[in-house]
Amino acid sequence: MSDQRQRPAGQDDSADGAPAADTAARHAPARGTAGGGPEPEELRFFGATWVHHDGGYAVRRVGAAAGSLVAAAASCVVLRFAYDGIALADVGSFVGVLVVAMFAVCSFVAFRRTWAGFGERPADQAREDSLRSLKAIGFIGSLLAYFVRSLTEAPGEGLRRREYEAAVAAYEKRRSARSGNPGARGKKKRPGGQAGKTGKTAASTENA
């Protein structure tokens, strides 16, 4: 009778203790991988290579700078052909000057707004959307801003890096607050182990 009572107690101890610990050990890495903190925002043409400057980051920067400069130069050639067409139409010098001034102003505004967007988020998104057509007309200014910024970093890298570092710091702070005191967690006792200890104590009392 004592052996029959002692065996189930030992089985309960192993069933509640070891399998539970094994299950927690198996699922702990999965939880850590899924909740490993905020992910960096990807940039156009660069992806997430700006975080550690790997994955061909330097080559991408050279390509972005060269591509934007070539595109701006080609756009200027196309606009020159368009201006020559207006001159051949003999519509007057005033129209030609007006067209040149329009593209110059739009390019300046596009350069300024694009450059500012690399360093900060727009405070008024509605106003930014209203300037979208103007930036499209002055696309040469946007291309030049992209070229100049690519000489020092990936366009928009500084803003994303500040936001990413702030998000990681906030995540680490929340995780530390949730973890609490590690010493207090080590003093907790498992219910299975307590039940097994009680069963073993009762069995040893009956044998005595």
Side-chain angles (χ1 to χ4, degrees):
M1 291 296 291
S2 61
D3 293 336
Q4 293 177 354
R5 292 178 182 177
Q6 185 174 359
R7 188 178 298 110
Q11 290 176 355
D12 290 342
D13 186 26
S14 61
D16 294 337
D22 294 340
T23 303
R26 286 196 304 268
H27 289 284
R31 287 196 300 268
T33 303
E39 295 184 358
E41 181 181 353
E42 295 187 355
L43 291 174
R44 183 180 299 176
F45 306 128
F46 290 90
T49 60
W50 57 268
V51 180
H52 302 293
H53 291 179
D54 56 359
Y57 171 81
V59 176
R60 291 170 189 251
R61 265 184 55 192
V62 173
S68 57
L69 183 61
V70 170
S75 300
C76 290
V77 173
V78 173
L79 291 179
R80 176 58 187 268
F81 287 147
Y83 180 79
D84 290 341
I86 295 175
L88 290 175
D90 196 16
V91 294
S93 60
F94 175 75
V95 176
V97 172
L98 187 64
V99 170
V100 172
M102 179 191 67
F103 275 102
V105 171
C106 292
S107 297
F108 173 77
V109 174
F111 180 92
R112 183 177 179 182
R113 300 305 302 176
T114 303
W115 186 268
F118 292 149
E120 60 182 3
R121 300 285 183 180
D124 189 357
Q125 188 61 41
R127 183 173 181 273
E128 194 69 20
D129 294 339
S130 65
L131 294 174
R132 186 173 299 175
S133 58
L134 190 146
K135 291 170 64 177
I137 297 173
F139 62 96
I140 295 179
S142 298
L143 291 173
L144 292 177
Y146 206 87
F147 163 73
V148 175
R149 196 70 173 190
S150 297
L151 297 178
T152 56
E153 64 176 12
E157 176 183 345
L159 173 62
R160 270 69 174 186
R161 186 173 298 278
R162 290 195 304 268
E163 294 177 346
Y164 176 64
E165 291 176 353
V168 170
Y171 170 78
E172 294 294 340
K173 185 177 181 180
R174 291 195 303 268
R175 189 174 65 173
S176 300
R178 286 197 303 266
S179 62
N181 186 5
R185 293 200 307 273
K187 296 179 181 179
K188 293 181 179 179
K189 297 180 179 180
R190 294 177 298 182
Q194 186 66 25
K197 186 181 295 184
T198 304
K200 291 179 180 180
T201 303
S204 61
T205 304
E206 292 181 2
N207 290 332

